[in-house]
Amino acid sequence: MIKVKKRKILLLPGDGIGPEVIQEVKKVIQWFNSNKSLDFEIDQDLAGGCSFDKHGAPITDEVFYKALECEVVMLGAVGGPKWDNLDFSKKPERALLKLRKELKLFANLRPAICFEQLVDASTLKPEIVSGLDIMIVRELTGGIYFGEPRGIKPIENGERKGVNTHTYTTSEIVRVAKVAFDLAKKRSNKVTSCEKSNVMEAGQLWREEVQELHDKEYKEVELSHMLADNCAMQLLKNPKQFDVIVTDNLFGDMLSDQASMLTGSLGLLPSASLGAKNKDGEMRAMYEPIHGSAPDIAGQGVANPIASILSFAMALRYSLDLDNEADTLEKAVQDVLNDGLRTKDIISEGMKEVSTSVMGDAIISKLQ
Ligand code: IPM
Ligand code: MG
């Protein structure tokens, strides 16, 4: 059993704009080390397409073991067109899926918050999104992403058949639902559980187990169930009806992308992938911006580092028990936005366009 080393942070910048945005996170961590006398130990390595190019695998065993012993993994982004035609097992995304699965990071927290300064960046009317603050809790290590059997096999008549399997067990549902209920208690006390119980047995089980857990342990939290397709519609119609949404791996993938665009700014949204606490209270966790590797703008110094920096704020809060420091960092981001600084993705009239590193520096200067 590999022990988790306290305060050890592994940076996995990955591909595309990943290295540029993680560089800014590194500066922020170094600032906390020098100015708050924190002793974060930083390591950095390859995962994704860059690892494939160097080692022929999206993540090497060595890097995987490093991730196992770190308290926090900060991931940038993986993937890009360069690796699109690789065999499934070699694709950059496998690094991500392996880390999620083997580190047992079953609860993926994806906040969708509409920053007041950017209300107009959403494609929805300001009154629909202003003040929006949703937390999507996506199950991350089960369901159709990992179910067996899976594969593509030849069948009769020269045809082929693609197979994936969607399964959930009671304990897989209960542990992620607990995370959602516990979060709701610290927010607006409302959980919406989404599945397709009208067509899928695994969805029916999901609904029953969430309800049973609620009735046993979380009666004080308001729980409602919603079919996932309806949830997709309601997110556009009246997103502010939601507080915490808990859902499976695949629906969570889609609903969180949809929710992110309500905020108008993919470049601002962080995420946390959390495991279970062990008996010593230690927990494995990985934090990453929800945006992808954006190969089209990579290397130009225009990427928005805010999502990554806010992912580190989540790490401060959820892994490192440094709520005050997390607040300070989040406030620094707000201050910089209030000053009118914008990266290219969120620029609007009258605002000042700045590069990735200038944005990082500006946030750090607000920490002083
Ligand atoms: C996400 C991404 C990943 C997923 C990909 C890159 C494998 O879309 O984190 O939402 O499908 O989970
Ligand atoms: Mg996705």
Side-chain angles (χ1 to χ4, degrees):
M1 185 70 189
I2 295 183
K3 285 282 292 173
V4 180
K5 279 208 189 127
K6 283 272 177 216
R7 306 252 182 279
K8 192 161 176 202
I9 301 176
L10 175 63
L11 305 178
L12 297 175
D15 309 316
I17 59 171
E20 294 164 62
V21 293
I22 291 296
Q23 176 57 28
E24 300 311 305
V25 172
K26 196 171 176 176
K27 281 161 44 179
V28 170
I29 301 174
Q30 282 161 345
W31 184 89
F32 277 101
N33 275 348
S34 336
N35 293 278
K36 293 271 173 185
S37 313
L38 296 176
D39 52 350
F40 298 130
E41 189 188 330
I42 309 177
D43 195 356
Q44 183 166 334
D45 223 309
L46 301 179
C50 55
S51 170
F52 175 79
D53 288 348
K54 181 141 186 236
H55 302 292
I59 184 163
T60 61
D61 287 347
E62 191 195 336
V63 175
F64 173 69
Y65 284 115
K66 273 188 188 177
L68 264 182
E69 67 164 35
C70 284
E71 192 171 18
V72 168
V73 177
M74 296 293 316
L75 189 104
V78 295
K82 184 176 172 195
W83 304 284
D84 272 356
N85 295 322
L86 287 178
D87 183 71
F88 231 72
S89 63
K90 300 217 155 41
K91 280 190 194 293
E93 289 79 5
R94 291 322 290 179
L96 191 57
L97 295 174
K98 178 170 174 160
L99 287 166
R100 289 175 180 173
K101 184 74 178 171
E102 312 271 329
L103 267 51
K104 302 190 172 67
L105 309 176
F106 63 86
N108 183 209
L109 277 44
R110 297 190 167 193
I113 295 170
C114 186
F115 288 74
E116 228 30 62
Q117 303 90 336
L118 298 170
V119 166
D120 292 323
S122 175
T123 47
L124 272 77
K125 294 195 189 88
E127 64 268 28
I128 301 287
V129 294
S130 167
L132 182 82
D133 182 357
I134 301 178
M135 177 68 89
I136 297 194
V137 179
R138 167 190 178 190
E139 200 291 325
L140 203 59
T141 53
I144 201 153
Y145 271 60
F146 297 100
E148 299 282 347
R150 65 185 297 156
I152 300 177
K153 59 178 182 189
I155 52 171
E156 61 275 15
N157 308 332
E159 282 198 65
R160 296 185 301 156
K161 183 169 165 178
V163 179
N164 290 93
T165 303
H166 179 64
T167 66
Y168 272 106
T169 60
T170 298
S171 56
E172 284 175 320
I173 298 167
V174 168
R175 66 184 180 180
V176 72
K178 276 191 172 165
V179 172
F181 284 124
D182 286 334
L183 278 169
K185 288 210 280 194
K186 295 188 202 147
R187 299 170 44 100
S188 303
N189 213 32
K190 237 166 84 175
V191 171
T192 308
S193 169
C194 296
E195 25 60 14
K196 284 285 288 176
S197 55
N198 53 346
V199 289
M200 291 155 68
E201 283 81 357
Q204 186 184 330
L205 182 77
W206 184 282
R207 184 176 285 223
E208 289 170 5
E209 297 294 356
V210 172
Q211 185 67 50
E212 192 177 324
L213 173 69
H214 170 268
D215 297 347
K216 265 202 250 154
E217 292 179 36
Y218 294 96
K219 272 215 178 69
E220 69 283 16
V221 181
E222 188 187 324
L223 169 66
S224 56
H225 302 278
M226 197 178 266
L227 297 176
D229 53 343
N230 184 26
C231 180
M233 188 269 276
Q234 296 292 339
L235 272 172
L236 295 183
K237 189 178 168 198
N238 177 18
K240 282 188 266 183
Q241 70 183 284
F242 297 108
D243 177 25
V244 176
I245 295 176
V246 61
T247 190
D248 75 23
N249 205 343
L250 183 61
F251 294 140
D253 181 41
M254 296 191 286
L255 293 173
S256 62
D257 261 34
Q258 191 181 336
S260 73
M261 270 322 283
L262 299 173
T263 72
S265 50
L266 215 53
L268 261 62
L269 297 180
S271 79
S273 304
L274 311 178
K277 285 210 163 82
N278 69 15
K279 58 176 181 352
D280 300 324
E282 299 164 343
M283 176 184 80
R284 292 209 163 84
M286 178 161 73
Y287 298 85
E288 57 185 301
I290 76 154
H291 62 68
S293 59
D296 51 320
I297 58 160
Q300 299 173 21
V302 297
N304 189 344
I306 292 183
S308 289
I309 290 175
L310 290 176
S311 297
F312 183 62
M314 288 186 93
L316 290 169
R317 197 180 298 288
Y318 292 105
S319 285
L320 304 164
D321 278 329
L322 293 167
D323 280 23
N324 286 339
E325 283 72 7
D327 289 344
T328 311
L329 185 51
E330 284 165 358
K331 171 144 190 322
V333 170
Q334 291 291 342
D335 288 348
V336 166
L337 291 174
N338 285 334
D339 285 352
L341 264 52
R342 301 283 187 273
T343 40
K344 196 174 183 166
D345 54 314
I346 51 172
I347 188 74
S348 61
E349 226 186 289
M351 301 294 144
K352 180 167 190 272
E353 188 173 325
V354 297
S355 68
T356 309
S357 67
V358 170
M359 181 58 98
D361 292 342
I363 292 169
I364 290 170
S365 75
K366 295 288 182 188
L367 290 169
Q368 310 291 349

